[in-house]
Amino acid sequence: MNKTALRALLRERRALIAPESHGFARPTGQGRRAPGLSQHQVDQLLHRTFGTYHRLESGNYPNPPTSLLRDIARLFGLNEQEWVSLCRYALLQDPPGPLHLSSGKEVPGVWQEAVDGIRHMAYVTDASWEMLAYNKRFATMFPNGKVPANTLRWMLLDPHGRQTLLEWDTAWAPMVLPQLRAALAARPDDDILRQIEKEVLAETQTADLYAAGNSHPHPDGDERPLLHAQEGRGWVTMCAAQPLTAPGSRLMILVFHPGETRTHPRAGILRAN
């Protein structure tokens, strides 16, 4: 637990909430004059035992439950970055999932301009793998330039996707399916991901691969065979990143080289001197 940082974050955000906004009367006589909710009022609003919030803010609550942290974060109106900070300060780890289900569903509009400026194929999807932005180079990968609405469904279930993703059953599906499982662990109530899982389980081949339970958390740095609609057979190396305002979303940059020979079988590591 980082007590100093935790105390600073909680005090700052608690001070911004007017007691009157939650039905409390501000005292007019002698007594407390600190801005915002009192610690006892936080306990009342969260239906917690008196002194619970004080223990947390003072740094005397080791390993507080994430349910308490989530309730406090929502009461204080924290954004996703502040939610991550709260869990890191209190638990020394990232949160188990987003603060709000709606998080990860949108990114600032400037991402389209940013993607347009990338010379390799590039796109941005939300936390459900729904397409948000892509560049013209990415569209050339598909016949007639028709980009799929959901890249996860396309990779796992679309017949055209299986034709494009060469060696689909060994080089692609076993690596993509664990990402579906991990996404559902973080977002169990995501209707789009649940529907994709339902379709995966309804097909014998994908269901068997899904049941294998392989672990492959992300594709960053992977090189896999791919059939480009215009450039033919080749190898694509994936660079993955995440817009910080949208947990679960991803920026994918696809470095494609046509030909039978792998280009980055053992790509070097970049390190600062």
Side-chain angles (χ1 to χ4, degrees):
M1 175 179 286
N2 187 326
K3 296 182 180 181
T4 301
L6 177 63
R7 185 182 304 113
L9 173 62
L10 292 176
R11 282 183 176 176
E12 176 184 338
R13 297 312 301 260
R14 179 166 62 85
L16 297 177
I17 303 174
E20 296 87 344
S21 66
H22 290 279
F24 294 108
R26 189 180 294 275
T28 56
Q30 294 183 349
R32 181 179 179 274
R33 289 292 184 272
L37 292 170
S38 70
Q39 294 180 348
H40 180 47
Q41 288 168 343
V42 173
D43 286 330
Q44 289 180 272
L45 290 171
L46 298 183
H47 306 288
R48 293 306 202 281
T49 304
F50 177 75
T52 299
Y53 178 78
H54 171 73
R55 289 177 59 204
L56 180 67
E57 188 175 291
S58 63
N60 294 316
Y61 197 153
N63 300 314
T66 54
S67 58
L68 172 63
L69 298 179
R70 188 181 296 275
D71 288 346
I72 291 172
R74 288 174 173 169
L75 175 62
F76 289 3
L78 302 190
N79 60 33
E80 291 296 333
Q81 293 99 312
E82 291 166 334
W83 166 234
V84 172
S85 295
L86 176 61
C87 289
R88 288 177 178 176
Y89 297 157
L91 300 171
L92 300 180
Q93 65 185 36
D94 286 340
L99 182 58
H100 303 287
L101 185 59
S102 59
S103 299
K105 297 295 187 175
E106 58 186 21
V107 297
V110 71
W111 273 100
Q112 180 63 65
E113 185 176 348
V115 168
D116 287 338
I118 298 174
R119 72 180 181 89
H120 296 289
M121 296 186 290
Y123 65 90
V124 176
T125 55
D126 69 12
S128 304
W129 271 265
E130 296 281 279
M131 186 63 66
L132 297 180
Y134 60 88
N135 60 11
K136 293 180 180 179
R137 184 77 183 272
F138 179 63
T140 66
M141 193 181 95
F142 304 91
N144 302 319
K146 188 177 181 180
V147 175
N150 186 290
T151 57
L152 185 62
R153 176 178 279 109
W154 179 81
M155 287 189 289
L156 293 177
L157 299 162
D158 192 305
H160 297 293
R162 297 184 184 186
Q163 294 172 7
T164 300
L165 307 176
L166 302 177
E167 302 175 29
W168 174 86
D169 58 337
T170 57
W172 289 90
M175 285 53 172
V176 176
L177 284 164
Q179 295 180 63
L180 171 60
R181 190 183 300 277
L184 279 168
R187 309 176 70 90
D189 298 321
D190 190 301
D191 291 338
I192 294 175
L193 295 176
R194 280 294 174 204
Q195 178 59 33
I196 293 175
E197 183 186 50
K198 182 178 179 180
E199 295 171 29
V200 163
L201 294 175
E203 183 180 311
T204 301
Q205 188 176 19
T206 51
D208 289 344
L209 290 170
Y210 194 53
N214 294 335
S215 175
H216 195 82
H218 60 74
D220 192 30
D222 284 359
E223 184 177 38
R224 301 177 194 165
L226 183 139
L227 179 62
H228 194 286
Q230 294 186 11
E231 301 182 45
R233 296 176 64 96
W235 292 84
V236 63
T237 304
M238 291 163 284
C239 300
Q242 178 178 281
L244 294 180
T245 58
S249 65
R250 60 197 57 77
L251 164 67
M252 296 296 300
I253 301 174
L254 309 179
V255 183
F256 179 77
H257 293 280
E260 297 293 332
T261 304
R262 299 182 66 169
T263 307
H264 304 115
R266 294 182 181 177
I269 301 299
L270 301 178
R271 291 192 182 94
N273 291 330

